[in-house]
Amino acid sequence: MRIDRRKFLQIAGLSGIGLGLSAADGLFKGKALASGAHSLPSSGTRLAFVIDVNKIEGEDGYRRIIEACHKIHNVPNIPNTKHEVKWIWTDSYEHSFPDQPNEFLPEKIKEKPFLLLCNHCDKPPCVRVCPTKATFKNPDGIVVQDPHRCIGCRFCMAACPYGSRSFNWVDPRNYLDMKNINPDFPTRTMGVVEKCTLCPERLARGLEPACAEASNGAIVFGNLADPESEVRKILNTHYTLRRKPEIGTQPSIFYVIGGGENAG
Amino acid sequence: MLDRALKGSKTYWTLVIILLGFISAGSLAYLHQFKNGLGVTGMSRDVSWGFYISQFTFLVGVAASAVMLVIPYYLHNYKKFGRIVILGEFLAIASVTMCMTFIFVDMGQPMRILNVILHPTPNSILFWDAMVLNGYLGLNLVIGWATLHAEKKGTPPPAWSKPLIYLSIPWAVSIHTVTAFLYAGLPGRHFWLTAIMAARFLASAFAGGPALLIILALVLRKYTKFDPGREPIQSVAKIVAYAMVANVFFIILELFTAFYSNIPGHMHAFEFLYAHGNLVPLMWASSVLAVLSLILIIPPKFRENESTLILACISIFISLWIDKGFGLVIGGFVPTPFNTITEYWPTLPETIITLGVWALGFLVLTILYKVAISVREELGTAGPPK
Amino acid sequence: MGIFFSFFMVILLVLIAYFGIAAAGLHTLFGIIIPYAAFVTFCIGFLLKVIKWGRAPVPFHIPTTCGQQMTLPWINYSKLDNPSSTSGVIGRMILEVFCFRSLFRNLKTGLNNGNISYASDKWLWLAGLAFHYSFAVVLIRHLRFFLEPVPALINTIDSLDGFLQVGVPHFLLSGGVLLIAALYLFFRRTSNPQVRYISLPADYFPLFLIAGIALSGIIMRYISKVDIIKVKQLTVSLAELKGNAPEGIGTIFFIHLFLICTLLVYFPFSKLMHMGGIFLSPTRNLPNDSRIKRHINPWNPEVKVHTYEAYENDFREKMKGAGIPVEKE
Amino acid sequence: MYNGSKIIIGLIIFLAIATFPFYSNIGKSAGVPMPDTNTPVINGLDKKECVASAEYMKKEHMKVLDEWRDEVVREGKRDVINVGGRVFEKSLQNGCMQCHSNKSRFCDECHSYAGVKPYCWDCHHFKEGRI
């Protein structure tokens, strides 16, 4: 666990902020100037990831990140792709950004895997459609899925434009090595929806989300609402992509595509 | 009146027992699904709604179609519908029962179904759908039962039923509009993201539901003493014809927008459905049947001939069942958000459960129709009007 | 009048249990002695009542029930409503006991422009069905307190009853249905003037008592909880005839228990005996075979019969002499 | 008695049902379960104190857990509970079970005695003797 004191305080601080605020005003809060414009939350916290595609070191790098997440969250490894549960995974540019096709893309990018996960949208459609408030938005920007409340109607899966949500079609425990699961984290039950949680249990302890920690700096985690944050600094200096920006969900996951440190 | 359902001919009891057989098979299959999870169905991470929700969507239309009889009879005082309006109301009860059962069997955690009421979420269309469906079921139960009861007693319908009947008219529209909104409000699902969705739903509902009603009325006439007379059936047929024309027109509008604009996302679902998915034969069958049905129902010569009329109605029902009870939901999920194709086909347990739910609906319908017709037979009003 | 009397009787019972435990601490009395006494009263009272009924002679088969009785072969007769065989009677009994067929027939008469109209009235039947079936489920699932280990079947019934995950612990549907049905039956007695006129404290009291039992049970499970392990310790000890009442069970439990004991004691002496009586009602348990079999009243004295034939034999000659026509020469 | 045999058979059935608990328990009786607090962690404490009194927890633990889960998952109130200097995490797995590491003795015995089947363990898991 390599984490310096400054970073610790930063994360501990921002995860603390806003948690005390009421979560009730999830839906239509934040009047933007125009519907497409960006809004910053009143709580002063909006957690986000910036993923630098070029900094992930090959196959191993991706696998390390995915395993870091799936291992600590007891995400089952289900061979049948129809029943798959995945919190973070990779796919090609073509599949990750189907709305921005470019047949003349550099070969390097065409073949590059992109890390995909819940976008923790600022205006999440999944939250809008959930009939039981099982999924909702925290004041700090995390889109939370409460498996205790979920009735398994899968409306959120129809609503999510990013395919970020997984349903437990089968009992996940049949696909977990129950002897070697993370004893500190629950598994899920059959018939509920789950997805990336952005590791609130780690944030509470002042740790970064597991994927960011395992990424050797390729995934930068921080507060978008803070102009001094590292994520903002990268966004200021790099051209970044987001998935399906035109539908106005305002994802909080940014992809740095260009040439690493020197670009921008 | 319910006791009328307990006395019947051999045919009636055979039908009831067959339906009960299907229901039992469906229940057993559901227990299997309950124990092993929705993984026993053909649904997947990418196609996360399947047969159940599409049947529900289709049947909401059938339920809403009762309004096509209620409006002429109660609003325009079209007396000739007096005999069949109860058939429409009871069909609505059976359809809504099926809708709710389909939603129930689709739940991953059916034990928590009451969370929808315990944690009401007005921003969710599904919450509203649950509300309007329950309301519509209640309205039709109360109205249908009260009017039939009054008929049996030889009294005019109770005064309080009038406002409820008027309320049921917009309510019927609302159930299908809200159901269309389930789909039409989702960003990133191009096939569904269309302002015309609710209108399409209503058009298909007002074609499919009354078409089924004509089939049912003709079947009843053959096997029971019930006979609504020729004219009301012809009037319903005209409603079906207009609605089906509107429905086909709306589909053409969708096709035009998708293909003339040439926006890939808008075209993909149609390409999947009509060109390279496993639903291709079904979707083409739906389209061919739709055209065929128009040929059979628009020219008065065919429409007025009851043997071609029933063919037209069967074509319409099957065409719309494929279109709404299959293509609509699957086409929305495929292509996936990743622009990939994941095929869907219902599995055996899923099919048995679906059949079981349909059987449940038809059992409810059989019992309700049996009661209505028995009451009329006793009153001597089941036969053709003089 | 009867309403308030019955209501305050139930309140009084609640107060007796409350003060008996909270003030006087009579755990053994309320936890052991009264339950045993009540149970013994219930069983013996039930037996004696049924035996008393059994000693009354059955007057005659009663054909005037419902439906066409068996007559000529080409006339359809109603096999279940008016049976002529034992198997038909068993069928009618099953329908009566499990489906409340008599109530299902209930009609409501009304006046409509001077004409009498008949309307079906299924609410009493429906509420009665809901009441009795939910009571049965409540009773069966209470076996978990008396049996150790708890049989799997009882666990299954319990989890089906709490299928809907509402609240912690899960709300058991049967309890709610029982309470609502009891309240409906009370509402029916008071809202309908005719029914109200014929209602007595004996009608209201059991309703209030059962509603009180259901309500105290619901309160005990969801609001003012008690130590359930100690409760079971007590109930199992009762079943094992050991009878020791552990300290520290909430008073609400003893209120619940005392109301149940009252119900048990009251049962054999009240209209609740229809539970046994249903099997002895002559219009339900007798086949309509009065034209097939000769019925001889059991209390009839021996009657000396002198037939006309014998009479003529005795007096033939005299009759002939008097010119009276005789049948046999 | 008229129809005596039938009535007596009926009464015997009635008595058999009514007294079922009395004879079905014979020879089966298991002892009364006592929530066992004999675990290494608890034994190592000088002051044995939980988040609430045993009396309260016996009756309300399900409610406490239900409230915790809403507070933690839904409201983000992950702040720990401090009882006399000892901190407790609001968690079944990472709170309760850290001390009460004997699930079969501490949870299951009473639950099966009372015929209760909580579904907590469908997701939250516990391996005996982990700590």
Side-chain angles (χ1 to χ4, degrees):
Chain A
M1 228 177 283
R2 292 174 296 104
I3 185 159
D4 57 46
R5 203 181 113 78
R6 190 183 64 85
K7 213 168 183 181
F8 175 86
L9 289 175
Q10 240 175 14
I11 297 166
L14 60 89
S15 59
I17 301 168
L19 289 178
L21 293 176
S22 149
D25 62 336
L27 182 59
F28 296 115
K29 83 163 186 234
K31 291 270 175 295
L33 291 175
S35 47
H38 213 98
S39 63
L40 284 175
S42 53
S43 67
T45 315
R46 189 174 159 217
L47 301 180
F49 282 132
V50 178
I51 302 175
D52 192 329
V53 182
N54 298 295
K55 279 196 186 159
I56 303 173
E57 307 117 1
E59 287 283 304
D60 272 354
Y62 287 106
R63 199 179 312 125
R64 201 175 55 239
I65 293 170
I66 294 169
E67 269 175 14
C69 169
H70 285 191
K71 187 109 191 63
I72 69 157
H73 295 122
N74 299 326
V75 176
N77 184 14
I78 303 174
N80 182 351
T81 49
K82 285 193 156 187
H83 298 161
E84 249 179 340
V85 175
K86 41 191 187 183
W87 287 22
I88 181 164
W89 68 103
T90 59
D91 211 331
S92 63
Y93 176 90
E94 195 192 349
H95 291 162
S96 309
F97 301 92
D99 53 332
Q100 293 161 65
N102 183 348
E103 52 201 289
F104 305 110
L105 219 55
E107 211 54 33
K108 209 179 93 189
I109 299 217
K110 237 185 222 170
E111 284 158 13
K112 194 109 210 146
F114 284 79
L115 274 176
L116 304 181
L117 66 159
C118 172
N119 272 303
H120 294 280
C121 304
D122 200 31
K123 305 213 180 307
C126 55
V127 169
R128 196 154 56 224
V129 301
C130 178
T132 61
K133 302 191 186 85
T135 187
F136 56 94
K137 202 162 163 59
N138 254 1
D140 54 9
I142 300 181
V143 174
V144 185
Q145 168 72 15
D146 180 356
H148 305 105
R149 179 72 69 81
C150 178
I151 59 173
C153 71
R154 312 190 294 294
F155 201 3
C156 54
M157 295 178 77
C160 177
Y162 305 104
S164 296
R165 291 176 158 263
S166 303
F167 180 72
N168 285 285
W169 298 100
V170 289
D171 188 350
R173 287 193 176 179
N174 296 340
Y175 298 90
L176 281 166
D177 177 11
M178 286 305 284
K179 287 201 184 85
N180 292 314
I181 56 172
N182 175 12
D184 300 328
F185 202 79
T187 65
R188 267 72 59 197
T189 185
M190 209 158 59
V192 296
V193 170
E194 64 183 73
K195 64 172 195 70
C196 157
T197 59
L198 228 145
C199 299
E201 75 286 354
R202 290 174 58 87
L203 299 183
R205 281 182 282 147
L207 300 171
E208 283 193 303
C211 55
E213 190 185 87
S215 72
N216 283 344
I219 302 176
V220 179
F221 171 71
N223 179 8
L224 275 188
D226 173 13
E228 300 303 312
S229 64
E230 208 178 331
V231 281
R232 283 290 288 277
K233 279 180 196 154
I234 302 174
L235 293 178
N236 279 340
T237 52
H238 293 66
Y239 175 71
T240 49
L241 271 183
R242 283 192 291 172
R243 297 174 66 198
K244 303 189 182 175
E246 79 281 5
I247 53 178
T249 54
Q250 298 174 8
S252 303
I253 312 291
F254 296 80
Y255 297 89
V256 178
I257 306 278
E261 303 284 40
N262 309 324
Chain B
M1 291 197 295
L2 211 55
D3 42 310
R4 303 301 189 285
L6 296 174
K7 275 186 205 134
S9 62
K10 223 166 213 156
T11 329
Y12 169 71
W13 283 110
T14 315
L15 179 62
V16 168
I17 285 166
I18 290 173
L19 290 174
L20 283 174
F22 275 107
I23 294 171
S24 325
S27 313
L28 287 177
Y30 180 71
L31 282 181
H32 170 65
Q33 178 189 296
F34 186 78
K35 194 165 170 283
N36 298 299
L38 280 159
V40 305
T41 68
M43 291 184 270
S44 59
R45 195 180 187 279
D46 291 323
V47 186
S48 49
W49 280 345
F51 226 27
Y52 301 147
I53 291 295
S54 50
Q55 299 306 296
F56 148 78
T57 308
F58 175 73
L59 287 164
V60 172
V62 176
S65 71
V67 77
M68 283 291 102
L69 303 177
V70 171
I71 290 179
Y73 183 63
Y74 286 105
L75 232 48
H76 301 288
N77 213 16
Y78 183 66
K79 286 286 175 222
K80 298 226 164 68
F81 273 181
R83 290 284 170 92
I84 56 168
V85 76
I86 191 91
L87 297 189
E89 284 158 354
F90 283 174
L91 179 60
I93 294 172
S95 309
V96 179
T97 310
M98 284 188 261
C99 290
M100 293 185 179
T101 319
F102 272 121
I103 291 192
F104 184 82
V105 299
D106 190 62
M107 291 290 130
Q109 289 281 328
M111 309 77 112
R112 302 183 187 160
I113 194 106
L114 282 186
N115 279 4
V116 176
I117 298 159
L118 296 173
H119 307 285
T121 315
N123 51 272
S124 172
I125 301 295
L126 202 55
F127 165 77
W128 288 109
D129 216 24
M131 297 297 110
V132 291
L133 275 178
N134 277 300
Y136 194 63
L137 179 65
L139 275 176
N140 275 289
L141 266 177
V142 169
I143 294 169
W145 207 251
T147 47
L148 187 66
H149 211 162
E151 198 178 316
K152 179 175 174 288
K153 284 194 290 182
T155 59
W160 50 260
S161 67
K162 259 284 152 64
L164 288 187
I165 288 166
Y166 293 138
L167 178 65
S168 78
I169 293 170
W171 205 291
V173 178
S174 85
I175 61 167
H176 218 22
T177 307
V178 172
T179 306
F181 285 175
L182 286 180
Y183 301 99
L186 305 180
R189 302 272 180 196
H190 297 286
F191 187 56
W192 294 337
L193 189 69
T194 161
I196 211 173
M197 186 66 95
R200 249 184 88 185
F201 268 35
L202 287 168
S204 73
F206 295 159
L212 177 61
L213 209 67
I214 292 177
I215 300 171
L216 288 172
L218 293 178
V219 168
L220 287 177
R221 193 176 68 186
K222 186 151 183 232
Y223 291 101
T224 71
K225 287 182 188 144
F226 174 80
D227 186 358
R230 201 184 135 71
E231 212 174 310
I233 288 188
Q234 284 302 317
S235 307
V236 179
K238 275 179 209 144
I239 294 173
V240 173
Y242 280 113
M244 192 59 190
V245 169
N247 177 56
V248 171
F249 178 63
F250 288 154
I251 292 174
I252 293 169
L253 296 185
E254 294 273 23
L255 287 169
F256 172 80
T257 308
F259 287 96
Y260 194 80
S261 70
N262 203 35
I263 298 173
H266 289 265
M267 299 189 291
H268 278 155
F270 288 104
E271 285 166 0
F272 165 73
L273 290 175
Y274 284 95
H276 47 244
N278 56 0
L279 298 183
V280 170
L282 272 179
M283 294 309 291
W284 279 106
S286 166
S287 303
V288 169
L289 284 171
V291 174
L292 179 77
S293 71
L294 287 183
I295 296 171
L296 286 176
I297 206 164
I298 296 175
K301 218 172 111 191
F302 290 148
R303 190 175 61 237
E304 282 159 17
N305 179 345
E306 278 180 2
S307 45
T308 42
L309 174 66
I310 196 157
L311 273 183
C313 288
I314 293 172
S315 316
I316 287 174
F317 188 77
I318 296 174
S319 165
L320 293 177
W321 180 77
I322 296 171
D323 186 44
K324 238 163 119 191
F326 226 130
L328 179 100
V329 171
I330 313 307
F333 282 107
V334 189
T336 68
F338 310 101
N339 239 1
T340 55
I341 286 183
T342 306
E343 298 270 22
Y344 164 82
W345 195 256
T347 58
L348 185 65
E350 198 176 4
T351 315
I352 297 173
I353 293 172
T354 306
L355 277 174
V357 179
W358 273 93
L360 175 72
F362 270 92
L363 183 67
V364 172
L365 190 72
T366 307
I367 289 171
L368 290 174
Y369 278 12
K370 174 74 179 50
V371 170
I373 291 167
S374 300
V375 166
R376 298 251 171 95
E377 276 174 5
E378 281 160 33
L379 294 171
T381 55
K386 275 134 213 153
Chain C
M1 182 56 211
I3 300 175
F4 292 105
F5 173 73
S6 311
F7 183 73
F8 286 114
M9 281 306 285
V10 175
I11 298 287
L12 184 69
L13 290 170
V14 171
L15 290 177
I16 289 173
Y18 179 77
F19 286 109
I21 294 297
L26 301 167
H27 288 90
T28 312
L29 178 65
F30 282 92
I32 312 286
I33 298 170
I34 292 179
Y36 276 135
F39 186 74
V40 170
T41 315
F42 171 69
C43 287
I44 293 177
F46 196 102
L47 295 188
L48 291 180
K49 192 73 158 193
V50 172
I51 289 168
K52 185 183 159 202
W53 284 336
R55 292 166 76 94
V58 179
F60 197 71
H61 289 198
I62 299 176
T64 54
T65 52
C66 324
Q68 173 66 46
Q69 68 171 304
M70 187 166 93
T71 53
L72 297 162
W74 65 87
I75 296 175
N76 273 341
Y77 90 104
S78 174
K79 284 197 184 77
L80 280 174
D81 284 333
N82 204 346
S84 65
S85 64
T86 314
S87 57
V89 167
I90 291 170
R92 175 166 71 183
M93 209 44 141
I94 287 172
L95 279 181
E96 189 62 38
V97 171
F98 289 102
C99 308
F100 303 2
R101 183 144 170 79
S102 302
L103 282 185
F104 185 74
R105 276 176 221 291
N106 210 14
L107 284 181
K108 196 162 64 186
T109 36
L111 266 185
N112 147 48
N113 295 333
N115 300 321
I116 292 179
S117 64
Y118 300 97
S120 74
D121 186 18
K122 301 267 185 278
W123 292 111
L124 176 63
W125 168 73
L126 208 65
L129 218 55
F131 178 85
H132 284 83
Y133 272 96
S134 56
F135 210 151
V137 173
V138 168
L139 267 177
I140 292 168
R141 65 171 167 70
H142 269 74
L143 283 176
R144 78 180 165 117
F145 291 109
F146 294 94
L147 305 180
E148 176 56 35
V150 184
L153 182 69
I154 306 290
N155 275 330
T156 310
I157 290 172
D158 209 67
S159 53
L160 281 178
D161 200 359
F163 176 78
L164 291 175
Q165 296 177 355
V166 178
V168 275
H170 291 165
F171 186 74
L172 296 171
L173 297 171
S174 56
V177 173
L178 178 63
L179 184 61
I180 291 169
L183 290 177
Y184 169 77
L185 293 175
F186 168 71
F187 166 77
R188 174 184 157 272
R189 284 207 172 272
T190 48
S191 65
N192 184 330
Q194 289 96 321
V195 181
R196 189 175 174 156
Y197 181 73
I198 59 163
S199 295
L200 298 168
D203 297 309
Y204 294 118
F205 178 69
L207 275 181
F208 284 130
L209 191 60
I210 291 167
I213 289 169
L215 191 65
S216 58
I218 288 171
I219 290 173
M220 178 161 51
R221 184 174 164 93
Y222 308 103
I223 301 163
S224 168
K225 297 191 186 100
V226 295
D227 184 343
I228 201 163
I229 300 299
K230 281 186 183 156
V231 169
K232 182 156 180 178
Q233 214 176 324
L234 168 64
T235 47
V236 167
S237 84
L238 284 176
E240 286 175 341
L241 301 175
K242 287 181 189 142
N244 55 40
E247 297 278 316
I249 307 178
T251 313
I252 181 80
F253 167 74
F254 289 96
I255 294 175
H256 187 65
L257 185 61
F258 187 59
L259 292 180
I260 294 165
C261 292
T262 313
L263 184 68
L264 286 176
V265 171
Y266 179 72
F267 200 99
F269 311 102
S270 69
K271 67 175 207 167
L272 303 178
M273 271 308 288
H274 66 267
M275 174 175 156
I278 185 87
F279 295 98
L280 298 177
S281 40
T283 62
R284 301 288 97 189
N285 70 2
L286 293 176
N288 182 7
D289 55 2
S290 51
R291 295 200 202 172
I292 302 167
K293 284 185 191 154
R294 184 166 179 221
H295 179 86
I296 297 169
N297 264 346
W299 64 86
N300 280 359
E302 193 86 27
V303 178
K304 238 185 161 181
V305 192
H306 194 212
T307 59
Y308 178 74
E309 200 182 5
Y311 171 87
E312 207 181 78
N313 285 342
D314 289 351
F315 299 105
R316 184 167 292 117
E317 293 313 310
K318 284 180 178 158
M319 288 166 77
K320 273 184 187 168
I324 301 168
V326 287
E327 287 187 345
K328 237 194 273 176
E329 282 304 326
Chain D
M1 204 152 54
Y2 300 92
N3 291 316
S5 55
K6 286 178 196 159
I7 292 178
I8 286 168
I9 290 170
L11 286 177
I12 289 170
I13 293 172
F14 162 73
L15 273 184
I17 295 173
T19 55
F20 173 65
F22 291 99
Y23 57 82
S24 77
N25 268 349
I26 293 171
K28 277 191 212 163
S29 172
V32 179
M34 270 300 290
D36 182 18
T37 55
N38 178 23
T39 68
V41 178
I42 296 174
N43 288 337
L45 296 173
D46 30 300
K47 209 170 150 208
K48 294 183 176 56
E49 210 175 3
C50 196
V51 293
S53 71
E55 193 62 23
Y56 180 81
M57 289 306 271
K58 271 180 193 166
K59 296 174 191 167
E60 303 285 359
H61 62 279
M62 65 298 265
K63 215 173 107 198
V64 169
L65 287 169
D66 188 47
E67 279 164 7
W68 280 3
R69 86 177 181 192
D70 271 0
E71 283 172 16
V72 171
V73 178
R74 304 190 65 82
E75 295 159 40
K77 290 185 190 153
R78 290 175 176 273
D79 41 333
V80 290
I81 297 166
N82 194 323
V83 179
R86 258 174 69 77
V87 260
F88 294 92
E89 196 174 327
K90 277 193 276 187
S91 164
L92 173 63
Q93 242 171 286
N94 302 327
C96 310
M97 303 313 287
Q98 296 296 324
C99 294
H100 299 287
S101 52
N102 51 345
K103 173 170 170 286
S104 61
R105 290 281 284 114
F106 188 72
C107 309
D108 300 347
E109 234 173 56
C110 286
H111 283 156
S112 76
Y113 185 69
V116 177
K117 278 189 185 153
Y119 63 91
C120 313
W121 308 107
D122 291 357
C123 298
H124 300 271
H125 48 87
F126 182 73
K127 273 186 298 199
E128 198 88 14
R130 174 160 82 84
I131 297 154

